[in-house]
Each structure stands twice: as C-alpha cells, then as structure tokens.
Amino acid sequence: MAHADRSAVAQGGTLHWAVDAVPTTLNAFAADASPATTLADEALLPTLFTLDAAGKASVDQDYLQSADQVSASPQTVVYTLNPKAVWSDGKPLGVADFAGQWHALSGADPAFGAAGAAHADGYDSIASVAAGAKPNQVKVVFAHPYAPWRSLFAPLYPAAATASPQAFTDGLKSTLAADAGPFTLKGAPGVDGQNTLTVARNPRWWGDRAKLDAIAFTAVAPGDAASALASHRVDVADLSRAADDSGNTPDATSGTEVLRASAPGYLALAFNGGTGLLADPQVRRAVADAVDRQALADAVLKPLNLPAVPLGNHLLMEDQQGYQDDAAALGASAATAAKLLDAAGWRLGAHSDAASGATRINGTKPLALTLLTRAGSARDAALAKLLTAQLAKVGVGLTTKPVPEADFFTKHVAAGDFDLALVTWPASRFPVADERALFAKPQVNSDGSLTVGQNLSGTGTDEIDSLLGQAVAATNPSDATRLTNEADVRIWQAAPSLPLFQSPQLVGIRSNVRNAGAFGFAVPRFQDIGFAAQK
C-alpha cells in the first residue's frame, strides 16, 4: 500500500482504475457479479464493517455506532446506526433496508432466483428483523446460531432495491435506487461511450470528504493493463494476471511502481472425485501425496519476490486469525503415494519402475489422468510441467488439456469434465461463511444421480458437514476456530482438492497515487484515496 495521511493527499482529480470489464450488474449477489462489481459497490454502498489486511473486522463508524451480540439464546444482534447515515435520496438507513435484504437473500422466496438461493447461508438462519429499543437501532434475532454474522448485510442495499425480484435482478444491472457511500453513481456503466463506470464524490456524504472528484473504473484487457499503466492511461491496475499469463514479474516503469501482497484467495489442484479414476479415495489421496507443493510454490512465487510458502489450510489463509497448517494430515510423500496405489490395485509392470516413467495399470486399464489448464497461462503451463514430472515418479500418467479461459469453468470444471484442474478460489473474509458449500457432501437424488451444488469435487462426508455446521454455529470465536481447523483436517484426509499457495496480488500504481495498492483482505477506504499533495 502507498499509505499517506489524509493531509498529504490533494483535493480533487479523477482516478482511472483499470478493471477487466465494466460490471454487468451492481448486485454483488448476482451470478454475474465480478470483482469490478465489488469495487464499485464498496465505493457506493454501506459496508458496516471494515477489514484490515488480516481480515479482522471492525465497526465502520461512518455507518454504525456499534454492533453487538446482546444474547446468545436466541442469538440476537443489535445494530446501532450512525444517525447521520442517509441514502442519496435523503432517507436514513434503517430497519426497512435490513429487512428487505433478509427477505431477498434468505431463500424463502424463490422469485428472487439464483442470487437469493446462492447467498442464503446466514440469512436463512435469521428469524426476525425489527426496530430496536432505541432510535436508529435494528434488532436481528436468529433462529439458528450463526457465528460469522458480521458477514451479513454487506454491502447493504436500499429497501427499494430489494422491494421485488425485478428490482433486485434487472433493476440493479446498471443503476442503484439510492447509494450511501463517499461516492455516488454517475450514469450507467459505459454510458459515456468510454467503457467506464464513473463514481463521483457524494455531496450527501456525512463522513470525511472524499479526496477525489471521481473514480473512473475503466475496462482494460488484462494483457493490456501493464502498457495502459506505463502510458499513464490508467492510474491503478492489477497486474496479477499479466504476471500469470507471461510468467514474468511486471516491471515498474517511469512514474509507476508495483506493490505486492498475498491475495485473498488461493490456487488449488481440484480433483474430480465424482466420476472417473479419482472417484476412488485411495487414488485421489495418492495423487495428492505425490505432489510436491513446495516445488510448485517456488516456481511461481519466488520470481515475484513473494514468500514461497505452500498453503496449509482449505478454509483459512495464512494471514487470517486462527490459521494453522493442517497439511500434515496428508503426510505427503512419493513413498506414501506408491503404497496407496499398490494397495488400490494399481501396479507397475513386472520389469518396470516409476522412475522410468512407466504408467501403472489395473488389469489392462492405465492410470492416466487429464489436467485442465487455461490456454495462454504461463503459470498454468509451468505448473503442468512440474505436476507431470512429479506424478510420473509414482507411475501416474498426466496429460495437459489447455482450454480457452471463457470455457474453463462453465464448460469444463462446473460441468465435471475434468480429472484434475488448476482452480483459483477466493478466500472468505469471514471463514466458513462462504466456504461450507464448497465441501458439502453431494445429495443423492431418487434416480441415483448426485446434486453437487458448489462442491466441484463431488466428494464429501457427514463428518465434514457436521464440523462445518458446528463451526458456523459456534458464536465463541475460539470454538469456531477450533472446529474450522478440525473440519480442515478431515478435508485434507478426504482430498477433494489440494491447496497449493495463496495467489499473488501485484498492483501497479502511478507514483503519485496514495492509499491504493495491493489491498489483500483489506477493504479500500475510498474517501482517502487520491493523488499526492504538492509540497
């Protein structure tokens, strides 16, 4: 981060912020919401809680005077709103906004569609939303305990945006009924013909006045981000994808600098345990054991001058509170992998050994797998080469299948058309809140088919479901952390995926930009972002 006190930031100017594409919706809960949606919403809408670089949540005093759990049985949370907080139409933030969002996202009304159903976790635990005992208070009572309650109502939408399914879906594609951030929406995305979404200083904002006049979120293809920054067409650009695709560290040019952090997400080797050879848990575990995660981390992170540390947890990132390295539950080694494969009936030929590259067979069937990668990604190509060599040492054949990025997830990973895949997962800022569905045991339908939901591996156990459910319900933070890590140990043992390392985040900025950069888990404080004041 290029940190500076507000006094050192000039008043005025427009910051051009590169995004992969202008958002197609301002609904953060919609299926087509993008990172650009999140950025714009953070500038325009109430966040209730701020997060630091370690993901620690604190009350955002611009919106809340306090937020406290006042009862454990039933779990009851009272939000005391800042009385100065108003929407751009002049209405104060209040209980109607909270109640409307609860209704839209609880899953109780199917008319709200996929957005409501996909984000029901937490909202479906709420029993009531009502006015509190004092002015400016909202009281939320839970039917079932929900530990990460601070993740709810973020961002908070005005009641008009959740008044009907139509308002919540189509109504949020290009506009907001009202906003309440340091910036306000200036026209629809792309309305000026420049393929930008522009937000301007909010004249109704009651907090610290935004330093910038406006921010123009400008669509720049990832491959062009570095040149756009170097030519000063944009002032801020995420260069992580440029490094990924080229395999090189983006260089700072005259008037720019590159800032680095670990992103709030990680790269994993996903296993398709629903069908094919990896449906056998012993084979899946053996493949996981055969992977040298340190070598993979070295290959990607060392050239970027980032610590090459393999990630040891599926649910918590290394810079989050409560993180522990649970990888020992796997006991990874080539020797262990070979023993598991032998026991599962996958044998090397009588006159061959794994070191010679021989592929194991079971009867006449070869142990040959396909690795799905993104075409054009130098990172994926480098990792595929290493993985091929590592698995060959234990007699597992691996063929790389590069596919266009546009098809990678929808046509292959989500469709179950893969054996192994290099997949980037976002980390939850409120652990387990968003991750439980990724590891939930698939449901068996009446015809014997499986409904896997968001669990792309198609595997799971009742024990993992139980531990994750207990972690979500544990309102004592230490209990929640303990249960989260117990669940993670079981996930390692089931091997639905293999965490490799936290994704690198490289952000280029103009040298005179202040309070922007590689945010990691932190939420930007948009009112403090701007250009250096002239001395």
Side-chain angles (χ1 to χ4, degrees):
M1 285 285 293
H3 286 290
D5 291 333
R6 281 178 55 84
S7 60
V9 181
Q11 192 72 51
T14 295
L15 183 86
H16 293 84
W17 195 317
V19 292
D20 288 355
V22 171
T24 56
T25 181
L26 292 170
N27 185 345
F29 303 103
D32 58 341
S34 67
T37 301
T38 301
L39 265 179
D41 285 347
E42 288 172 343
L44 297 167
L45 293 167
T47 53
L48 303 190
F49 293 90
T50 61
L51 291 109
D52 62 17
K56 183 180 179 181
S58 302
V59 165
D60 189 330
Q61 296 289 340
D62 286 325
Y63 299 106
L64 294 174
Q65 291 183 337
S66 63
D68 300 299
Q69 180 176 304
V70 297
S71 171
S73 183
Q75 183 184 8
T76 304
V77 175
V78 173
Y79 300 86
T80 302
L81 297 166
N82 183 338
K84 297 179 181 179
V86 295
W87 296 103
S88 53
D89 59 9
K91 296 179 181 177
L93 273 64
V95 66
D97 308 311
F98 284 74
Q101 191 149 322
W102 166 46
H103 177 70
L105 294 175
S106 68
D109 187 346
F112 280 87
H119 295 275
D121 192 44
Y123 292 98
D124 60 2
S125 295
I126 294 174
S128 65
V129 175
K134 297 179 180 179
N136 305 308
Q137 283 190 337
V138 176
K139 182 172 74 172
V140 177
V141 180
F142 291 80
H144 312 288
Y146 188 71
W149 56 267
R150 293 174 182 82
S151 67
L152 303 176
F153 308 108
L156 179 66
Y157 285 88
T162 54
S164 70
Q166 179 73 16
F168 192 60
T169 53
D170 293 343
L172 288 174
K173 285 193 177 299
S174 60
T175 190
L176 289 168
D179 46 41
F183 289 85
T184 188
L185 189 63
K186 183 180 179 182
V191 72
D192 57 4
Q194 300 298 313
N195 205 18
T196 62
L197 183 152
T198 302
V199 299
R201 185 188 297 113
N202 182 1
R204 283 188 177 272
W205 179 246
W206 54 93
D208 289 335
R209 187 170 186 253
K211 288 292 186 176
L212 291 166
D213 295 326
I215 301 174
F217 296 107
T218 305
V220 177
D224 298 331
S227 61
L229 183 69
S231 63
H232 299 174
R233 288 186 287 125
V234 296
D235 303 299
V236 178
D238 193 317
L239 305 178
S240 308
R241 280 286 307 280
D244 177 355
D245 293 341
S246 68
N248 298 316
T249 306
D251 294 324
T253 59
S254 177
T256 71
E257 57 182 309
V258 178
L259 305 175
R260 296 167 171 82
S262 292
Y266 66 98
L267 184 70
L269 185 63
F271 299 163
N272 184 354
T275 60
L277 298 176
L278 293 176
D280 183 335
Q282 279 189 286
V283 175
R284 201 166 60 245
R285 174 76 180 258
V287 171
D289 280 333
V291 174
D292 182 347
R293 298 185 308 128
Q294 184 63 61
L296 303 182
D298 287 346
V300 173
L301 299 177
K302 280 189 174 179
L304 300 177
N305 297 318
L306 287 169
V309 181
L311 182 66
N313 205 297
H314 294 78
L315 304 168
L316 294 163
M317 298 300 96
E318 190 173 5
D319 38 6
Q320 285 183 294
Q321 188 172 5
Y323 170 86
Q324 70 181 37
D325 189 337
D326 296 323
L330 193 64
S333 72
T336 303
K339 289 178 181 178
L340 285 170
L341 292 173
D342 286 341
W346 293 96
R347 301 300 178 90
L348 293 165
H351 302 291
S352 64
D353 58 73
S356 66
T359 300
R360 290 175 180 264
I361 58 172
N362 190 334
T364 59
K365 182 188 296 183
L367 183 49
L369 303 172
T370 298
L371 172 66
L372 198 68
T373 63
R374 294 180 301 114
S377 168
R379 181 203 67 184
D380 283 14
L383 293 177
K385 185 176 180 180
L386 287 170
L387 285 166
T388 300
Q390 290 174 5
L391 295 186
K393 290 180 180 178
V394 297
V396 178
L398 189 65
T399 302
T400 301
K401 181 182 179 181
V403 298
E405 180 158 1
D407 299 337
F408 180 84
F409 194 83
T410 55
K411 292 185 179 179
H412 295 278
V413 177
D417 179 24
F418 72 102
D419 291 323
L420 300 166
L422 287 168
V423 177
T424 299
W425 283 123
S428 175
R429 282 170 163 161
F430 297 90
V432 185
D434 304 313
E435 296 159 323
R436 186 161 49 157
L438 303 179
F439 303 100
K441 183 180 176 181
Q443 299 300 304
V444 181
N445 301 317
S446 58
D447 62 356
S449 62
L450 294 179
T451 297
V452 300
Q454 297 179 52
N455 183 345
L456 303 176
S457 73
T459 69
T461 69
D462 291 334
E463 185 181 21
I464 290 171
D465 285 356
S466 176
L467 286 167
L468 290 175
Q470 291 176 62
V472 166
T475 54
N476 180 296
S478 62
D479 288 341
T481 296
R482 174 179 55 80
L483 289 161
T484 297
N485 281 304
E486 285 183 19
D488 182 54
V489 169
R490 304 305 190 278
I491 294 170
W492 277 99
Q493 293 167 346
S497 62
L498 187 63
L500 301 180
F501 48 79
Q502 272 186 259
S503 302
Q505 185 179 45
L506 292 89
V507 176
I509 63 170
R510 292 277 303 278
S511 297
N512 63 338
V513 171
R514 296 293 181 267
N515 295 321
F519 290 100
F521 277 100
V523 174
R525 195 168 192 269
F526 280 92
Q527 57 267 51
D528 291 350
I529 297 173
F531 299 100
Q534 296 295 322
K535 294 181 180 179

